[in-house]
């Protein structure tokens, strides 16, 4: 399962959640989604990239995309990726080697429909996806897991919805494609916290106040929790 965070205001989620992580996560993956409990995006079923006829046509797994201010936060759990995408093979200078990127297109049916990398050029002229890659779990393996991969695109989840996500091999070739779709909160499964009390034995001077809401997306092994919070009095460091 994944735990996806949303913040209502304040500094970046990554710096604000240090204490919450320690208290709540217990090893569960974390990312942030945009404010107002906006549901994250999910990749649909991967299929071979248009025209790809190589041996890596069976890429499968899940991709989740959340939001943290001007950045997207990427989760992925993939199988049948390129086993050469380890931490030993030198890919310096190889564009898009072992990449997993959101593209500007809205169709996986043709190369023209996929397009190039998607980000706001008004936010940055440099391609923020250029350094984003996956590593297989061990040398010779063909599985990979990524959590909290932050990509400063300057775009919103709404901008990303319906666009393509592409997986590359060690040579940078495009091998698999999927579309990003909006998840839907499960009705009747919302949990809320309306107030906080001091933790037992805590003798510090911080007094936390505010609210937390947890929504459910998906079921079974595909389930994710979306945590939306609006807090004051937390540790500023």
């Amino acid at each position: 399962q994944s735990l996806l965070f949303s913040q209502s205001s304040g500094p970046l989620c990554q710096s604000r959640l240090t204490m919450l992580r320690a208290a709540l996560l217990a090893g569960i993956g974390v990312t942030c989604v945009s404010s107002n409990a906006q549901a994250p995006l999910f990749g649909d079923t991967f299929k071979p990239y248009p025209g790809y006829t190589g041996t890596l046509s069976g890429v499968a797994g899940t991709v989740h995309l959340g939001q943290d201010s001007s950045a997207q936060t990427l989760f992925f759990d993939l199988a049948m990726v390129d086993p050469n995408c380890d931490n030993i093979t030198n890919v310096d200078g190889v564009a898009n080697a072992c990449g997993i990127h959101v593209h500007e297109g809205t169709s996986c049916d043709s190369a023209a429909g996929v397009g190039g990398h998607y980000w706001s050029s008004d936010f940055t002229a440099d391609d923020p996806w250029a350094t984003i890659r996956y590593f297989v779990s061990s040398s010779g393996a063909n599985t990979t897991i990524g959590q909290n991969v932050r990509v400063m695109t300057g775009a919103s989840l709404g901008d990303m919805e319906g666009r393509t996500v592409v997986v590359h091999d060690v040579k940078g070739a495009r091998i698999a494609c999927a579309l990003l779709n909006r998840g839907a909160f499960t009705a009747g499964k919302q949990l809320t916290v309306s107030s906080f009390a001091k933790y037992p034995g805590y003798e510090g001077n911080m007094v936390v106040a505010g609210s937390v809401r947890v929504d459910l997306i998906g079921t079974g092994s595909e389930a994710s929790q979306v945590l939306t919070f609006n807090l004051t009095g937390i540790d500023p460091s």
Side-chain angles (χ1 to χ4, degrees):
Q1 289 187 341
S2 300
L3 184 61
L4 300 109
F5 282 96
S6 170
Q7 65 176 16
S8 298
S9 61
L12 291 178
C13 174
Q14 297 292 92
S15 61
R16 300 258 312 203
L17 288 177
T18 303
M19 295 178 68
L20 284 175
R21 283 184 181 142
L24 299 175
L25 301 187
I28 297 173
V30 185
T31 189
C32 303
V33 298
S34 58
S35 61
N36 300 320
Q38 186 175 179
L41 304 180
F42 291 75
D44 65 6
T45 302
F46 278 96
K47 58 184 182 179
Y49 189 82
Y52 178 75
T53 58
T55 60
L56 300 172
S57 59
V59 173
T62 59
V63 172
H64 298 173
L65 193 68
Q67 185 87 20
D68 178 7
S69 187
S70 296
Q72 271 67 53
T73 47
L74 179 66
F75 271 71
F76 52 88
D77 187 348
L78 302 177
M80 306 303 290
V81 296
D82 194 334
N84 295 304
C85 289
D86 51 31
N87 57 6
I88 300 173
T89 304
N90 186 355
V91 296
D92 289 347
V94 182
N96 299 318
C98 307
I100 176 168
H101 309 134
V102 176
H103 285 235
E104 61 189 349
T106 57
S107 172
C108 290
D109 293 335
S110 68
V114 176
H117 295 170
Y118 182 74
W119 79 97
S120 171
S121 58
D122 292 332
F123 179 76
T124 176
D126 298 325
D127 181 357
W129 296 101
T131 59
I132 304 302
R133 59 161 296 181
Y134 63 88
F135 292 88
V136 292
S137 54
S138 61
S139 182
N142 64 0
T143 59
T144 181
I145 295 176
Q147 296 183 346
N148 273 343
V149 181
R150 298 185 74 249
V151 190
M152 298 294 295
T153 66
S156 69
L157 279 186
D159 296 328
M160 296 284 178
E161 186 174 359
R163 299 192 187 275
T164 52
V165 56
V166 173
V167 179
H168 299 257
D169 68 8
V170 73
K171 295 181 179 179
R174 302 177 181 187
I175 62 175
C177 180
L179 291 178
L180 289 170
N181 299 307
R182 179 77 64 182
F185 294 143
T186 303
K189 297 294 184 179
Q190 183 185 97
L191 301 175
T192 59
V193 175
S194 57
S195 62
F196 287 85
K198 187 172 291 189
Y199 190 83
Y202 176 69
E203 298 179 351
N205 58 6
M206 288 185 289
V207 179
V208 176
S211 61
V212 174
R213 171 176 141 189
V214 182
D215 288 279
L216 175 67
I217 293 179
T219 60
S221 62
E222 298 299 317
S224 296
Q225 284 71 43
V226 177
L227 177 61
T228 306
F229 61 91
N230 187 356
L231 301 177
T232 61
I234 61 174
D235 192 335
S237 62

